[in-house]
Amino acid sequence: MSVKLVNHLDFNNLLYKHQYGFQRNKSTEHNLIQALNYIGQAFNENKYCIGVFFDLKKAFDVCSHEILLMKLERMGIRGTALEWFKSYLSDRTQFVDINGNHSSEKKIKISILQGSILGPILFLCYINDLYRVTDLFTLMFADDTFSAKSGSDLNLLVQDVNAEINKMAIWFRANKLAVNKSKTKYMIFRTRGKKVDTNVPNIVFDENERDCPFNPDFVTILERYHNNHQNSDGQAYKLLGVYLDEHLTFDAHVNHLCKKLSRSLYCIKMAKNNINPPGLRALYFALIHSHLSYCPII
């Protein structure tokens, strides 16, 4: 069923072209290349670029079966195939086991089964239409979502980004996905010569819908990551394993990599007199090679 579902999605070109998770011939590197190309283009045109890094709470565990089946039907999965998926998702139960003592069983009406073959593909179907609700350039790796927009006037750019985030926030609520607002950050990418005034409006995550009473509890000011952040962890954002700073210098990533490799080299140095060459080679590949070979194009 997984093979048939993937073939159906590929043949009919149904998945978002900038979704890079759980697909053949796509990786984190492709995602990062697209992100850096977009930001680099803004630099070349002497523009600001605001990038928003969304963090979802337990994304796989809160997907609604009812909404998923509706989306599968929209994707052309009907008749017997849709009934099969209904059967696959229905009548599942779970319980807690503590030292052989079992709780009562409870039916599961949400979640896409992690660890299953179909789980990742079904999740891609669930989150696939997010990009349709916004004009922001949106890149996804499964639930890791990065959205960006560039512009010459920073104040107008902030207004546009806030309006687009509002659309995305409403989509998340409608699809019963919870955004971890404390871990959702943004960054104003710019060349060193471009300044950011202290009175620039904040980027906010606003879940209020139009034509509904305004609720201030639905508005959250997002934290901005920048080079002068008082917390060193807030000076660069780790996107799919690569640290990005607001000027794209990669200094934070290089420093992080050097520290990690230095610790690994110390381990090898301490072991070199006790381990034979094949063992040392294995240590190199376990501790060092993967870090050097990850996303070399970036």
Side-chain angles (χ1 to χ4, degrees):
M1 283 303 292
S2 177
V3 170
K4 291 187 178 214
L5 177 58
V6 169
N7 287 341
H8 171 75
L9 297 172
D10 287 346
F11 182 78
N12 295 287
N13 199 28
L14 294 173
L15 289 181
Y16 178 42
K17 66 180 181 179
H18 290 306
Q19 170 61 263
Y20 296 96
F22 305 124
Q23 295 189 74
R24 289 189 294 254
N25 303 318
K26 289 187 176 182
S27 70
T28 54
E29 193 163 45
H30 295 96
N31 186 304
L32 288 164
I33 287 171
Q34 293 291 341
L36 294 186
N37 281 347
Y38 187 87
I39 298 168
Q41 182 66 29
F43 282 15
N44 291 338
E45 295 173 357
N46 197 29
K47 293 180 178 178
Y48 295 96
C49 178
I50 295 178
V52 184
F53 308 91
F54 291 95
D55 185 274
L56 300 185
K57 295 179 184 175
K58 303 286 184 184
F60 278 70
D61 297 335
V62 297
C63 295
S64 163
H65 292 173
E66 182 183 355
I67 294 174
L68 173 60
L69 290 169
M70 287 172 53
K71 294 192 178 194
L72 290 175
E73 189 173 11
R74 286 283 186 92
M75 289 178 156
I77 299 165
R78 304 188 178 103
T80 305
L82 187 62
E83 289 301 317
W84 188 94
F85 280 106
K86 283 182 183 177
S87 175
Y88 175 76
L89 294 169
S90 63
D91 296 325
R92 291 187 176 272
T93 59
Q94 69 180 23
F95 64 90
V96 178
D97 175 3
I98 302 176
N99 298 327
N101 299 307
H102 295 176
S103 71
S104 57
E105 294 188 356
K106 188 167 185 178
K107 279 195 173 184
I108 305 172
K109 295 183 179 179
I110 59 172
S111 92
I112 292 170
L113 307 171
Q114 290 200 60
S116 65
I117 294 172
L118 272 172
I121 307 303
L122 290 177
F123 181 76
L124 296 189
C125 295
Y126 193 91
I127 203 171
N128 189 58
D129 54 328
L130 169 61
Y131 79 96
R132 294 180 180 274
V133 303
T134 178
D135 292 333
L136 299 179
F137 178 65
T138 300
L139 298 167
M140 291 187 282
F141 191 88
D143 60 318
D144 285 322
T145 304
F146 170 71
S147 296
K149 187 176 179 67
S150 62
S152 301
D153 188 313
L154 186 54
N155 287 293
L156 290 177
L157 182 59
V158 169
Q159 290 179 25
D160 290 343
V161 171
N162 279 334
E164 295 303 315
I165 290 178
N166 175 240
K167 297 176 189 175
M168 297 174 77
I170 293 169
W171 183 93
F172 283 124
R173 285 189 65 204
N175 287 272
K176 300 183 179 179
L177 292 174
V179 175
N180 192 337
K181 287 164 275 193
S182 64
K183 292 185 178 180
T184 296
K185 314 293 182 181
Y186 76 96
M187 191 173 287
I188 302 175
F189 296 100
R190 68 195 198 283
T191 56
R192 290 187 181 278
K194 297 184 77 65
K195 303 296 182 183
V196 175
D197 293 334
T198 54
N199 59 353
V200 170
N202 293 308
I203 298 293
V204 297
F205 189 86
D206 181 3
E207 299 174 274
N208 284 287
E209 297 187 45
R210 291 181 182 177
D211 305 322
C212 291
F214 179 79
N215 186 342
D217 294 335
F218 286 175
V219 179
T220 304
I221 297 175
L222 299 182
E223 183 182 7
R224 178 188 160 211
Y225 272 25
H226 56 91
N227 287 4
N228 297 321
H229 198 286
Q230 59 185 4
N231 186 346
S232 60
D233 292 336
Q235 295 175 1
Y237 189 88
K238 187 180 182 182
L239 178 64
L240 300 176
V242 175
Y243 286 87
L244 303 180
D245 62 272
E246 60 185 353
H247 299 308
L248 284 190
T249 62
F250 292 101
D251 288 345
H253 184 73
V254 171
N255 291 336
H256 171 77
L257 200 56
C258 286
K259 289 177 183 177
K260 186 165 281 191
L261 295 179
S262 179
R263 290 193 294 267
S264 300
L265 286 169
Y266 177 77
C267 293
I268 293 176
K269 179 182 177 183
M270 297 300 291
K272 70 179 180 181
N273 295 322
N274 302 313
I275 300 178
N276 59 18
L280 289 172
R281 187 174 187 274
L283 269 181
Y284 162 77
F285 279 103
L287 300 175
I288 292 178
H289 185 78
S290 60
H291 298 297
L292 292 177
S293 59
Y294 179 69
C295 291
I297 295 176
I298 305 302

